[in-house]
Amino acid sequence: MSLKAIAKDLGLSVTTVSRALNGYDDVSADTKARVQAAADVRGYRPNTLARRLKMGKIDAVGLIFPFTSHPLSNSAFVEMVGCITRELAKHEIDLLLVPDELGTFSWRRLIESKRVDAMLVAHTLNDDPRLLDLQQRNFPFLALGRSTCLTQDYAWFDFDNRAGMQMAVDHLAGLGHQRIAFLGENNQQSFISQRRQGYLDGLMANKLPLNPQYVNKVSPSRRAGYQATQALLALPQPPTSIVCDCNMHGEGAALALYEAGLLLSGAVSLIIYDGLPSDSLPDVAVTAIRQGTREAVGLQIAEMTMALIRNEPMSQLQVLWQPELQAGVTAHPPKL
C-alpha cells in the first residue's frame, strides 16, 4: 500500500500523509492519528532509506566507551546499554557500539563517513579528549557524565555520584561506625573521582579520621574486590564497614565477608554503589546506593538522544539524577 493509496482513502494530499507519518508539527494530532491508524491497518511501512536521504538523517547513534576499562564486565553498564538500545529501536534508530582505546579517536571515521547522527560518550574523564574533539567538530554528542575540560556548554546526563557516596558514609556514621573503608576503581573516569570525593566529604562532615590504609584503588573486578577486602580484614585494626563504588568489586568484597562469616551476621557492614549484580554468588540484600532502574535510565538517555538529534535547546539536555539509599543488611559496629 503506497502513500498515494492512503491519501486517496482519507481524502488527504500525499504531502499531508507523508508529513503526518514523519511527525511534523504542522499536522494536527487528529490527522496524525487518522493517518497512522490507516497505515497500521494496511501494513504500510515507509521506505526507510528514502526517508533518511530526504530528511538528511542516518537513524543511527554511536556509543563511545573506553576499551581498556572493563565496561562490558560491569552488569550495570551492560543493562543500561540494553535499555537504551531498546528505547531507540522504538524510533527505528540503531545504537552502534564504538570501543575506543584512549587517544585513537576511533569514532572519527563514523562521523566523516556520515554513518551516525550523534554520539553518546560513556565513562567520561575529567579531562576528556573525546569530548573536546567532538565539540571542536561541532558534532552532536551527549556526555554520560560531566567533565571539567569543556569551556562551551554541552549536553550531559549524570548522577550525583558525590552526594551518593557521602550518603553512604553518613548512613554508616549515623549507626556509630568510625572505621569506614573505601574500595574505589583505579582509573581517571569522572564518576570515580566524584565518588571518592563523596567518601572524603562524608568523613569530614562526620568528623571521622582519614586512615590511608582504608582507602583502596582496585580494578573493577570480583577478584580485586575479594583480595582487597581480605587485606582489609587482615589489618591489626580492621574496618567495621566498607563502601564500594562499583558493583563488580563490590561482589568480591561481599564474597570475602561471606566466607569470613561477617556478612550475614552484619559484623562488618557493606554498602555497594548500584548494589550486587542480579546473579551474585552471595545471596544477601546488602545496602545499596541506587540511581533509578535501568529501564528508567535507558528511557531518559534515549529521550535526550532524540532531543539532541532534533537540536532542542541545551537547557533540556542537561539532567542530574539524585541517588537513593536502599537499606539491606547494615549493622551497628561491634562494641570495642
Side-chain angles (χ1 to χ4, degrees), residues 133-152:
D133 183 72
L134 290 167
Q135 192 169 74
Q136 289 169 359
R137 290 170 175 267
N138 197 30
F139 191 80
F141 71 90
L142 173 64
L144 304 184
R146 291 161 293 170
S147 179
T148 59
C149 67
L150 301 182
T151 56
Q152 299 178 37

Side-chain angles (χ1 to χ4, degrees), residues 180-182 199-200 203 209-217 232 235:
I180 305 172
F182 175 79
Y199 167 76
L200 298 174
L203 293 182
L210 172 63
N211 184 340
Q213 290 183 303
Y214 289 171
V215 183
N216 293 263
K217 296 181 180 180
L232 286 170
L235 291 173

Side-chain angles (χ1 to χ4, degrees), residues 20-325:
L21 290 173
N22 285 294
Y24 282 89
D25 294 336
D26 59 354
V27 181
S28 70
D30 179 65
T31 299
K32 288 179 182 177
R34 288 175 57 212
V35 171
Q36 188 62 58
D40 291 343
V41 168
R42 293 163 174 78
Y44 171 78
R45 292 190 62 80
N47 184 320
T48 304
L49 178 59
R51 182 173 65 87
R52 289 173 176 173
L53 291 173
K54 184 175 181 179
M55 300 183 68
K57 298 296 183 183
I58 310 302
D59 288 344
V61 173
L63 171 63
I64 308 171
F65 64 92
F67 182 74
T68 56
S69 66
H70 309 94
L72 295 183
S73 65
N74 187 314
S75 62
F77 178 75
V78 172
E79 290 172 17
M80 182 188 73
V81 170
C83 292
I84 295 172
T85 302
R86 184 168 59 250
E87 291 300 328
L88 289 177
K90 294 177 182 177
H91 301 278
E92 297 189 348
I93 293 179
D94 299 323
L95 183 69
L96 308 180
L97 297 184
V98 188
D100 181 71
E101 191 170 357
L102 190 61
T104 61
F105 298 93
S106 61
W107 63 89
R108 285 178 173 172
R109 63 179 178 272
L110 294 178
I111 296 174
E112 292 166 356
S113 59
K114 297 183 179 180
R115 292 161 59 190
V116 290
D117 294 313
M119 286 290 188
L120 307 180
V121 185
H123 295 282
T124 55
L125 308 174
N126 287 323
D127 186 10
D128 200 315
R130 301 170 300 173
L131 302 185
L132 283 170
D133 183 72
L134 290 167
Q135 192 169 74
Q136 289 169 359
R137 290 170 175 267
N138 197 30
F139 191 80
F141 71 90
L142 173 64
L144 304 184
R146 291 161 293 170
S147 179
T148 59
C149 67
L150 301 182
T151 56
Q152 299 178 37
D153 216 5
Y154 64 102
W156 53 263
F157 171 83
D158 204 359
F159 302 104
D160 198 337
N161 295 290
R162 187 171 174 175
M165 190 55 75
Q166 181 169 350
M167 184 185 300
V169 176
D170 288 345
H171 178 71
L172 292 168
L175 294 174
H177 289 272
Q178 296 184 7
R179 303 201 302 269
I180 305 172
F182 175 79
L183 295 188
E185 290 192 45
N186 60 346
N187 58 64
Q188 300 303 312
Q189 293 168 19
S190 57
F191 78 91
I192 294 171
S193 60
Q194 291 164 9
R195 293 177 186 179
R196 187 180 301 120
Q197 188 59 51
Y199 167 76
L200 298 174
D201 291 347
L203 293 182
M204 183 177 295
N206 291 282
K207 299 180 180 179
L208 298 178
L210 172 63
N211 184 340
Q213 290 183 303
Y214 289 171
V215 183
N216 293 263
K217 296 181 180 180
V218 301
S219 65
S221 70
R222 296 174 179 86
R223 177 178 295 176
Y226 179 83
Q227 293 173 338
T229 302
Q230 285 186 318
L232 286 170
L233 296 178
L235 291 173
Q237 193 173 46
T240 61
S241 57
I242 302 172
V243 292
C244 302
D245 78 350
C246 163
N247 68 354
M248 295 302 294
H249 59 233
E251 183 179 6
L255 183 58
L257 293 175
Y258 181 83
E259 289 182 349
L262 301 173
L263 185 61
L264 294 177
S265 66
V268 175
S269 291
L270 178 67
I271 298 182
I272 301 176
Y273 230 100
D274 293 318
L276 286 172
S278 58
D279 61 348
S280 173
L281 292 176
D283 186 14
V284 58
V286 303
T287 297
I289 301 298
R290 297 289 186 186
Q291 304 179 124
T293 65
R294 301 289 170 260
E295 291 76 12
V297 172
L299 178 60
Q300 176 70 70
I301 293 174
E303 289 178 345
M304 293 179 71
T305 303
M306 297 296 298
L308 179 69
I309 293 173
R310 293 192 298 266
N311 197 31
E312 293 189 5
M314 194 64 66
S315 60
Q316 300 180 30
L317 296 171
Q318 297 175 334
V319 175
L320 181 65
W321 275 29
Q322 296 300 317
E324 296 180 351
L325 187 139

Side-chain angles (χ1 to χ4, degrees), residues 3-16:
L3 286 180
K4 289 182 179 180
I6 295 175
K8 181 178 180 181
D9 288 350
L10 297 179
L12 300 171
S13 69
V14 173
T15 299
T16 298

